[in-house]
Amino acid sequence: MKHLFLAVCLLLCSGALTAQTLNIIPTPQHTEVGQGHFTFNANTRLAYKHKDAKEVAQYFAQKIQRTAGFPLRKGKMGAAGTITLEMDASIKGREAYQLTITSDRVVAKASTADGLFYAVQSLLQLLPPEVESQQQLPKVEAWQIPVVKIDDAPRFPYRGVMLDPCRHFLPVDAVKRQIDMLAAYKINYLHWHLTEDQGWRIEIKKYPRLTEVGSRRVEGDGSVHQGFYTQEQIREVVEYARQRHIQVVPELEIPGHELAAIAAYPELSCRGEATTPRNIWGVEDVVMCPGKERMFTFLQDVIDEMVQLFPGKYFHIGGDECPRGEWEKCDSCQARMKAQGYTREAQLQSYIIGRIEKYLRGKGKTIIGWDEILEGGNLDTTAIVMSWRGESGGITAAKAHHHVLMTPADQGCYFDYYQGDPMVEPPYFGGYYTLERIFSYDPVPAQLKGTDGEQYVLGIQANNWSEYIHTPGRLEEGLYPRALALAEVGWSQMETRDAQSFVHRVDNDHALRLQAHHINFHIPRVEQPGGSCNHVVFTDRKMLELSTSRPLAIYYTLDGTKPTEKSTRYTGPITLTQTTLVKAVAQLPCGILGPVRTILVEKEDWHPATRSVVVEKGLRLTLNWGRFDTPYRLPETSDLPPTVVPAIESLRTLTDVPRNVRGVRDYAATVEGYVNMPEKAIYEFNTQNHLVWIDNKLVIDNGTQAVPRISTNNAQIALDKGMHSIRVTFLGGIYNGWPTYWDDAKLKYRVVGTKDWQEVKPEMLFH
Ligand code: ACM
Ligand code: ZN
């Protein structure tokens, strides 16, 4: 019986040791696993001849020296006990490689250094995860590498990640750390978004005010956010990336999203009015003026300096989200339109793109632009279209024989979108795209399959817009491990991709590699099915159900201590009969624990309805003018005479707020009175307002929430049918780039156990 079991096991194991169970991400195109191992130790030699192989060999040797602590001495090409890096022109494909591991030697072949570099990445992934350590390991005797023959090449030539240091600056070290990590997954393009409404981040010697003025933004609370890359730092990053076979694609955004440059040189805009870099998110109406020649002179001067710094073939010119209202009212713009015989402002957009495209073509560059560059017509066919507003721009462009890069927000290519329940995650822009969802994406849309448009899809990109990415750690939490799914989508053939095997590889092995690089990668937090809530209320007993966005072990404590894998393992709903602080954590199969989730589960008596006589509709309002940083200690007296407002959302509309949210008279306001609840129930409340008190209990406290827009502080309370006192406080102002005037300021509720949220409507409010 035991032998039979062993035999079945061997059969299964060997049969299953295919491309998908080999540890490599992205999954290689073709893999043949053999028997046995190559033993890698201090006697292993490294051989290469070709000068292009030398840099790859050094990269590998340095990594081994750093972790294993021994040098790889130079060996003879193809000899036993040797890892050979061989240039072989017969390997077809610029990034293709062949990696043959037998029990006595390792041979990597490629026709370019790119291919050899990727062979080395695959080889590293066949070594244990410790090889990625940033320090020397205690003692490495030997590592075993499985016998295998890999023939590999990417599905798409462009596999990219975009970084946005404009909304929140990203220091050089953090950029390099991403380059290191992304290169390990055969990502080969870094799109660097360097100019924005909220900040100009690249030194341009001819226009020093771009960084003196444009790289510095005064936030809503008066603090300053600033940062830019010197040309020397840019060169350093570009070279660092080159050594890791990543081409840096700079983005100079035109003609919109350029308020920081306009703040430095107001004559670039239609009106030429003085301004400052935008300190709120969203799209600025003030844009560059294509009616003026000096705008083109400026862009060409900037390009002249930028092309010296970025030797790659591609140059991104933005082109997205450019409001045209200013052009309609501008004499210069209208004169340009007349001279060109244009009837629509959209043609001005294509006029700019066309002129700059031609200028860049003269410098040997191919332009990439967001899909709006198709608008207005006349786009040169060499221009590459980056499809972000879904796939439709990409489909149209490919049919018109433009090369296309797929980065549709609605297919999970925006890594600033959620990957878990927003109630338990730090703030993201919105959306919801899990690791598995991104993994399943096919960059060739069904409409292009089998048409000649198919061949125009050059690849895929993930974008990391940084409105809510305040630190490198937050960037990494959005980016990893989703970048590994992106790598599979960009490199691996659809038929070799297997979601279950992918998640297995990530959770068992690659998580350890990310950890070795000190990457703050995302680990699912413990959630509650049907909607997570950090403050659960019951009156009798509670069955608390827990889950994770992908299946993982959950451990929890009920005594307030930090949970570990030694705590109670969750196997089903936890029965609670008294007030308890539940702390829970998910664990990856490789042993790494995720962030701890804390849920207050409170036993309450039913809050009785008030017997006071309340007759009038509406709520009493108090207000204090000024900017308040917290809602906790507001003045006792109101700056207004006694006022009644009809709704809770009236809190938001007490001042004039122009589209650009400039010159607003900020305030703090509170409404007070009674809410008439329709039935006896345990209710869950949700709001973006700062504080909600019901029956003198502080139910929702968003006072310390970094971004009030995204409250994770839903809370429950047990209420009898009828009137309950209520008090809601709102702070009007810009908080971390978010004007609270953009919130809906509503108070929402649902009966616990039901799905749909209702609004607290004016007919429920009295005073
Ligand atoms: C974009 O997300 N505005 C390209
Ligand atoms: Zn103009």
Side-chain angles (χ1 to χ4, degrees):
M1 190 61 203
K2 202 165 151 193
H3 283 120
L4 184 64
F5 177 75
L6 200 68
V8 169
C9 200
L10 275 175
L11 203 71
L12 282 175
C13 295
S14 60
L17 199 57
T18 59
Q20 282 147 26
T21 45
L22 261 189
N23 185 50
I24 298 169
I25 291 178
T27 306
Q29 204 172 80
H30 186 78
T31 308
E32 268 172 60
V33 177
Q35 300 285 320
H37 291 89
F38 174 84
T39 301
F40 178 89
N41 59 28
N43 296 323
T44 303
R45 305 284 173 118
L46 183 60
Y48 57 90
K49 255 204 208 121
H50 200 282
K51 63 176 175 32
D52 292 351
K54 185 173 173 182
E55 194 174 74
V56 178
Q58 282 171 344
Y59 168 92
F60 180 67
Q62 274 166 14
K63 230 173 152 96
I64 297 302
Q65 173 82 59
R66 181 169 63 206
T67 56
F70 50 75
L72 284 175
R73 275 166 297 155
K74 198 146 186 222
K76 285 206 185 68
M77 296 291 282
T82 300
I83 297 171
T84 300
L85 305 183
E86 188 181 330
M87 291 296 241
D88 179 346
S90 74
I91 307 282
K92 294 277 172 286
R94 186 175 64 79
E95 297 179 299
Y97 68 91
Q98 204 178 67
L99 179 63
T100 308
I101 298 164
T102 54
S103 55
D104 66 348
R105 71 200 71 198
V106 174
V107 179
K109 291 184 181 180
S111 58
T112 66
D114 293 327
L116 283 182
F117 184 76
Y118 293 140
V120 159
Q121 294 304 342
S122 292
L123 179 61
L124 284 165
Q125 293 187 11
L126 294 173
L127 290 168
E130 303 91 273
V131 74
E132 293 298 331
S133 172
Q134 303 303 294
Q135 297 101 34
Q136 192 173 327
L137 300 165
K139 176 133 183 80
V140 176
E141 295 285 350
W143 279 327
Q144 308 265 286
I145 310 176
V147 166
V148 63
K149 183 166 188 288
I150 298 171
D151 268 299
D152 202 6
R155 181 177 174 203
F156 295 106
Y158 185 110
R159 304 171 302 279
V161 161
M162 187 219 66
L163 299 180
D164 166 20
C166 295
R167 274 55 175 262
H168 287 105
F169 188 64
L170 202 58
V172 165
D173 279 2
V175 177
K176 285 183 173 174
R177 190 162 64 243
Q178 312 321 314
I179 289 170
D180 257 337
M181 208 65 252
L182 295 169
Y185 294 100
K186 305 185 175 88
I187 299 288
N188 60 352
Y189 286 90
L190 181 76
H191 167 183
W192 212 1
H193 181 80
L194 290 166
T195 71
E196 251 306 337
D197 287 326
Q198 291 88 358
W200 180 282
R201 304 292 177 215
I202 172 172
E203 177 190 27
I204 300 294
K205 305 227 191 240
K206 189 159 187 183
Y207 296 94
R209 284 175 61 81
L210 286 172
T211 43
E212 284 163 18
V213 173
S215 73
R216 194 174 180 280
R217 155 178 103 226
V218 180
E219 303 279 34
D221 65 356
S223 66
V224 171
H225 186 86
Q226 62 187 336
F228 68 89
Y229 306 111
T230 63
Q231 293 200 350
E232 197 177 315
Q233 286 174 318
I234 299 254
R235 282 204 184 86
E236 181 187 326
V237 169
V238 168
E239 171 60 14
Y240 194 84
R242 186 202 62 76
Q243 289 166 5
R244 286 152 186 81
H245 299 259
I246 289 180
Q247 188 188 124
V248 181
V249 180
E251 181 182 350
L252 166 64
E253 173 95 69
I254 59 169
H257 282 282
E258 277 298 14
L259 195 68
I262 292 167
Y265 298 98
E267 61 272 24
L268 293 172
S269 71
C270 289
R271 291 175 207 235
E273 282 174 5
T275 186
T276 51
R278 186 174 164 98
N279 69 354
I280 54 170
W281 313 140
V283 178
E284 176 63 43
D285 289 335
V286 176
V287 301
M288 290 190 165
C289 175
K292 297 183 190 132
E293 262 323 284
R294 69 176 157 219
M295 190 275 282
F296 289 96
T297 310
F298 168 83
L299 289 176
Q300 290 172 5
D301 288 343
V302 170
I303 287 168
D304 287 350
E305 291 194 33
M306 285 178 76
V307 295
Q308 299 297 317
L309 301 172
F310 298 97
K313 177 169 155 214
Y314 296 142
F315 196 106
H316 203 299
I317 49 81
D320 63 319
E321 298 180 317
C322 182
R324 297 167 194 148
E326 293 286 304
W327 297 349
E328 287 168 17
K329 291 175 272 178
C330 169
D331 291 344
S332 311
C333 284
Q334 293 304 312
R336 173 83 74 195
M337 280 179 66
K338 197 160 166 225
Q340 293 293 125
Y342 295 158
T343 53
R344 295 172 298 124
E345 277 73 19
Q347 292 168 292
L348 279 181
Q349 159 94 1
S350 63
Y351 174 80
I352 303 171
I353 303 296
R355 271 185 69 169
I356 297 303
E357 188 280 326
K358 198 164 162 215
Y359 189 74
L360 278 160
R361 190 149 29 102
K363 306 262 169 196
K365 302 292 179 185
T366 299
I367 67 154
I368 304 176
W370 302 108
D371 57 55
E372 287 95 329
I373 65 170
L374 287 164
E375 291 170 10
N378 291 324
L379 184 63
D380 190 89
T381 46
T382 60
I384 299 174
V385 174
M386 200 169 246
S387 193
W388 72 279
R389 296 176 299 176
E391 294 178 320
S392 61
I395 293 166
T396 306
K399 284 184 176 165
H401 296 181
H402 286 284
H403 278 121
V404 164
L405 294 168
M406 282 298 184
T407 180
D410 64 4
Q411 299 293 330
C413 292
Y414 275 41
F415 287 1
D416 56 330
Y417 283 17
Y418 280 98
Q419 54 192 318
D421 184 343
M423 282 296 142
V424 308
E425 295 282 324
Y428 286 77
F429 187 88
Y432 182 74
Y433 295 93
T434 60
L435 184 65
E436 296 92 321
R437 173 73 174 75
I438 290 152
F439 179 88
S440 67
Y441 181 54
D442 183 349
V444 178
Q447 292 95 316
L448 292 180
K449 285 258 157 75
T451 74
D452 70 345
E454 191 166 1
Q455 76 206 57
Y456 287 91
V457 179
L458 281 186
I460 172 123
Q461 179 169 291
N463 301 324
N464 300 271
W465 299 109
S466 68
E467 286 93 334
Y468 303 103
I469 296 175
H470 300 93
T471 61
R474 284 285 295 113
L475 165 72
E476 289 166 4
E477 194 166 5
L479 187 49
Y480 308 98
R482 291 192 288 192
L484 280 59
L486 180 87
E488 290 262 346
V489 172
W491 181 282
S492 309
Q493 299 294 332
M494 287 306 277
E495 56 277 13
T496 63
R497 278 158 55 186
D498 174 328
Q500 219 182 337
S501 148
F502 168 72
V503 171
H504 180 89
R505 280 172 283 156
V506 170
D507 286 349
N508 284 274
D509 180 288
H510 289 266
L512 294 166
R513 294 172 193 264
L514 296 169
Q515 189 186 49
H517 281 256
H518 308 296
I519 295 282
N520 180 45
F521 62 99
H522 181 264
I523 302 171
R525 288 163 174 80
V526 174
E527 302 181 358
Q528 290 142 275
S532 303
C533 182
N534 291 326
H535 186 171
V536 171
V537 158
F538 66 99
T539 54
D540 179 16
R541 70 171 48 220
K542 179 74 195 176
M543 305 286 280
L544 184 70
E545 228 182 308
L546 303 177
S547 59
T548 41
S549 56
R550 62 176 182 271
L552 291 174
I554 297 173
Y555 297 90
Y556 67 91
T557 63
L558 303 178
D559 60 2
T561 59
K562 191 174 170 199
T564 68
E565 66 273 31
K566 299 206 173 64
S567 309
T568 312
R569 172 113 185 222
Y570 178 84
T571 53
I574 310 165
T575 306
L576 298 166
T577 55
Q578 57 189 355
T579 296
T580 308
L581 200 60
V582 179
K583 293 198 173 191
V585 68
Q587 188 186 38
L588 300 181
C590 64
I592 300 174
L593 294 169
V596 173
R597 173 92 194 290
T598 302
I599 309 167
L600 172 61
V601 185
E602 187 183 11
K603 183 165 185 178
E604 268 195 342
D605 293 329
W606 292 100
H607 291 256
T610 181
R611 286 170 211 280
S612 317
V613 183
V614 279
V615 283
E616 302 281 341
K617 283 229 165 178
L619 298 170
R620 280 191 309 276
L621 170 78
T622 50
L623 177 146
N624 295 99
W625 295 112
R627 150 105 198 181
F628 292 87
D629 287 329
T630 86
Y632 304 117
R633 286 173 302 278
L634 298 177
E636 306 220 331
T637 55
S638 178
D639 291 344
L640 292 183
T643 308
V644 172
V645 291
I648 289 171
E649 51 269 38
S650 307
L651 280 168
R652 174 177 64 102
T653 53
L654 302 166
T655 197
D656 287 331
V657 183
R659 258 177 67 84
N660 63 10
V661 200
R662 287 179 187 257
V664 175
R665 193 177 183 200
D666 292 330
Y667 62 90
T670 298
V671 285
E672 252 177 293
Y674 295 89
V675 58
N676 190 14
M677 297 309 293
E679 58 182 301
K680 176 175 181 169
I682 299 174
Y683 291 98
E684 184 167 324
F685 283 90
N686 163 279
T687 194
Q688 297 152 333
N689 291 310
H690 281 74
L691 303 176
V692 177
W693 301 74
I694 294 175
D695 288 337
N696 292 318
K697 178 175 181 178
L698 181 57
V699 179
I700 294 185
D701 181 357
N702 289 329
T704 55
Q705 188 92 28
V707 184
R709 171 191 165 213
I710 305 162
S711 167
T712 55
N713 298 313
N714 285 1
Q716 300 176 2
I717 184 167
L719 299 177
D720 272 347
K721 177 176 160 67
M723 297 282 188
H724 297 268
S725 74
I726 186 166
R727 179 149 53 101
V728 182
T729 296
F730 167 89
L731 300 187
I734 298 166
Y735 295 86
N736 286 309
W738 182 256
T740 51
Y741 310 110
W742 288 354
D743 286 329
D744 67 11
K746 291 178 193 300
L747 177 62
K748 294 174 199 144
Y749 69 94
R750 64 180 174 189
V751 172
V752 168
T754 65
K755 206 163 148 274
D756 295 328
W757 292 93
Q758 328 269 336
E759 288 167 25
V760 172
K761 295 250 171 67
E763 50 270 32
M764 297 165 69
L765 298 171
F766 300 88
H767 68 282

